[in-house]
Structures are given as C-alpha cells and as structure tokens.
Amino acid sequence: MPNQRIGAILDGLGVELDLTDGCIVTSAVVFCKVVKEDGTVTLGYAQSEGMCWIEGVGLITAGSDIARRGYAEDDDD
C-alpha cells in the first residue's frame, strides 16, 4: 500500500487539538488502528517529516504519560 497523507483521515475521524492563539505545532506522531481488507487489525505509526528518532521517542513517552495520568501545565518551565 502506498503512503498516504492522513490529514483528511484525521479530520474525518473528528481528531482535534485544543490550541490557543499563537500556538504553533512543530512536530507530531500519529498512531492509528488500521483494519485491513482481509479483516486483520494492525497498528499504524507515522511521524512528522524530518523528525529524528530521539524526538519521536520523546513525544511517544510523554504522550503515554499524558494518556495515563492526564495533563496539567507546569509553571516551573
């Protein structure tokens, strides 16, 4: 299967991100449940063009923590 741009797919699934004015998204990782034509289910993964593996692992690790525990902004940054 050839690579596909997934912006429209994410839009169709209703994926949204709460951003305030002035925020800029600089990189992203995406995990997707994919059901193949034969009915098998797999996990799809994609990351922003130009990201190094260290940034990808960092986003995945932080994202996992947020998904499990929630997110609260830290004023100590």
Side-chain angles (χ1 to χ4, degrees), residues 4-67:
Q4 297 182 35
R5 308 289 271 173
I6 62 170
I9 295 169
L10 294 175
D11 288 344
L13 291 170
V15 177
E16 294 182 349
L17 183 60
D18 185 18
L19 298 172
T20 57
D21 289 341
C23 290
I24 300 171
V25 176
T26 60
S27 56
V29 295
V30 177
F31 288 98
C32 301
K33 175 184 173 184
V34 178
V35 180
K36 296 184 176 186
E37 286 186 75
D38 65 2
T40 59
V41 178
T42 188
L43 181 68
Y45 170 81
Q47 68 180 41
S48 300
E49 192 174 315
M51 275 180 48
C52 69
W53 70 270
I54 294 172
E55 186 177 8
V57 168
L59 286 172
I60 293 165
T61 302
S64 176
D65 287 347
I66 290 168

